[in-house]
Structure formats: C-alpha cells, structure tokens
Amino acid sequence: RALVRPATDVAALQDAGLEVVWGDLREPGTLGPAVAGVDTIVTTANANRAAVDVAGNQNLIRAAQAAGVGRFVYVSAAYMGQEFARTGQLMAGKLQTERALRASSMRPVIVRPDMFQESWLGPPQFNAHARTALVTGRGQTPHRYVAIDDVAALCAHLAVAPDPPDVVEFGGPEELTPMQVVATYETATGTTFRVRHLPRWLLSVGHRVMSRVQPDLAQGLGLELFFDTHPSTWDDAPLRDAGIEPRPASEFIARTVGATRVTH
C-alpha cells in the first residue's frame, strides 16, 4: 500500500499492483486509512520542512501506534547525533523522529545510509559535460557514497527480516574523498576538470548568516562543512549481509559520463 499526496501521478504505482491511498503527513485525519491493517511501515518522506520532517512524522507515528502497527522502518541518515542535527532543520527533524520512534510501542528499525551517489556525485558539484567540479572545504575526507537503489533494497529486506537490528548504519563499497571523485571523473572522461574550492571558513560563515533568512541554503552549507570534517566510520556489511551486491561510486561516475556522451 502506498500513501501518496493528491497531486501525485500514481500510474506507475498502480501498474505495479500497489494499493494507493491518498493522504498527507501534515493532515493527521488522512492517515488512518493508510495504516489500517498494516503490520509494517517503511517511510523515506522528508521535505526540509518542520511541518513534514517533525510534525508530519509525529503524526504518522501516532497513527501507526493507534492502528497497532508492529514495525516501523525509518530512513534517517548516517552521522546522526546532536552535532549533525545542528546543520539544519532536516537533520534536526530526523533526530527528533528517531527519538519519537524509540519512545513508541512499535519496533523501530532506523536505517542510516551514507550520502547518496545520485545526490552528491552529479551536477552541479560534479559536471561531466562542462568538466567542472565544486569542492567544498578541503575535499580530503573519505565517504562511502551509496546507491539509492541499494538503500531501497535494504529497506525492503528489513521490512520482512525476522529479527532486524534497531539501527543499521552503512555506506557503499568504495571509500572516496571529493578530490578522488574528481580524479575518477577525469579518468573516465580522459580530461582535466576545472576545480573550484569553497573554503571551510566560508561554509561556516554562510551557514550562520543564512540560517534565519534562507534555511535551505544554510542546511546545505552546514552539511558540506560537516562532511568535510567527519569521515565515514562504517562499511557496506549490512548490504552484503542482506544479499545485496552494493554498487560502487566509481560505477555511478562511469554511467554518468557514458550518459553525458550519449546526450551531448
């Protein structure tokens, strides 16, 4: 069963045989039909808005408890903690949701993936067509960028696993720094990229100044600064243990370069 907002195009969901229920996390009265008779919930919803990331998730948790849901699989983020939550309202909301789940009567399964390849390894930061890269901070901190499809596959596994862990923190199979990402793009394209750097001090100042006037931008700057100073400390074992062969970041880069050549 899929909970979707009224404006969503549901043709693909219905073609796949899903039951579609219309509703909105911001409207508690619409959530009852979505959770009625459900054993397990899997949610990835976020919008960088308190109405969704905090209040909306709280609404869903309350509705799920009232319906007798047993398991709640929630996609949070790796690095989660007080310092990470201070980057902005999106991560602060995820931390609050984690706490609410632990305080609920349901069994929480908190999924904490590293940065998504699709979000962090393409334009505008890494532009294979223009042969440009924007590296924030020093670009020397390694991360295990993970494929979104691998995260989805793990969520599906955890939804039905007999005894899943309360928290699953993981990344992809390949550890790369942003500067190594640039080098991988250069190897794949056979060219040299023009690299611009945003220094840490500018990220820090921008995060503080923009936090009140443009919180979305402030969140992005805060995340960039955090990731430049905090390396990954996990691996891809949870994926492999679930029978998932994780996709390396270099494979994503190669596909992106190949698609760019076909398009242009």
Side-chain angles (χ1 to χ4, degrees):
R1 179 183 299 165
L3 170 66
V4 298
R5 288 178 294 174
T8 303
D9 181 356
V10 298
L13 297 175
Q14 292 175 327
D15 289 345
L18 274 72
E19 175 190 355
V20 172
V21 177
W22 306 102
D24 194 312
L25 295 182
R26 299 168 296 181
E27 300 177 17
T30 68
L31 301 180
V35 298
V38 169
D39 297 316
T40 301
I41 285 176
V42 180
T43 180
T44 67
N46 64 79
N48 204 16
R49 297 289 184 275
V52 174
D53 303 327
V54 180
N57 282 324
Q58 298 281 349
N59 292 337
L60 182 59
I61 290 170
R62 284 192 289 268
Q65 283 194 110
V69 172
R71 184 181 302 187
F72 197 113
V73 182
Y74 172 63
V75 179
S76 183
Y79 309 89
M80 189 52 67
Q82 286 286 3
E83 184 182 359
F84 192 44
R86 285 194 290 270
T87 60
Q89 59 187 8
L90 174 60
M91 297 310 165
K94 287 186 178 295
L95 183 59
Q96 289 185 53
T97 300
E98 286 193 10
R99 290 172 173 168
L101 275 176
R102 289 193 178 97
S104 76
S105 59
M106 297 177 289
R107 177 165 189 171
V109 183
I110 296 170
V111 181
R112 291 178 173 176
D114 206 329
M115 290 183 284
F116 293 155
Q117 296 169 3
E118 294 82 353
S119 300
W120 291 87
L121 298 183
Q125 283 188 278
F126 302 98
N127 191 320
H129 174 62
R131 305 298 195 260
T132 60
L134 175 63
V135 174
T136 51
R138 298 171 185 171
Q140 300 295 339
T141 304
H143 300 286
R144 289 185 173 272
Y145 302 94
V146 64
I148 289 177
D149 283 351
D150 292 344
V151 179
L154 183 60
C155 287
H157 169 80
L158 294 169
V160 297
D163 188 24
D166 291 343
V167 177
V168 185
E169 203 161 38
F170 64 99
E174 193 173 22
E175 194 176 62
L176 291 176
T177 69
M179 289 307 298
Q180 287 173 327
V181 171
V182 174
T184 304
Y185 264 107
E186 289 178 333
T187 298
T189 59
T191 61
T192 300
F193 274 42
R194 299 190 307 276
V195 180
R196 294 190 298 121
H197 287 264
L198 286 180
R200 287 180 179 177
W201 70 263
L202 186 57
L203 296 173
S204 179
V205 171
H207 178 247
R208 293 196 301 271
V209 171
M210 302 305 293
S211 59
R212 292 184 179 274
V213 292
Q214 291 193 40
D216 289 358
L217 177 57
Q219 171 85 71
L221 295 172
L223 287 174
E224 296 283 5
L225 179 61
F226 187 93
F227 291 144
D228 194 54
T229 53
H230 293 74
S232 301
T233 58
W234 36 83
D235 56 26
D236 62 353
L239 294 170
R240 296 187 183 278
D241 291 345
I244 301 165
E245 184 63 33
R247 299 164 174 83
S250 56
E251 179 182 299
F252 170 82
I253 292 170
R255 291 200 311 271
T256 300
V257 170
T260 300
R261 287 171 175 159
V262 171
T263 304
H264 301 284

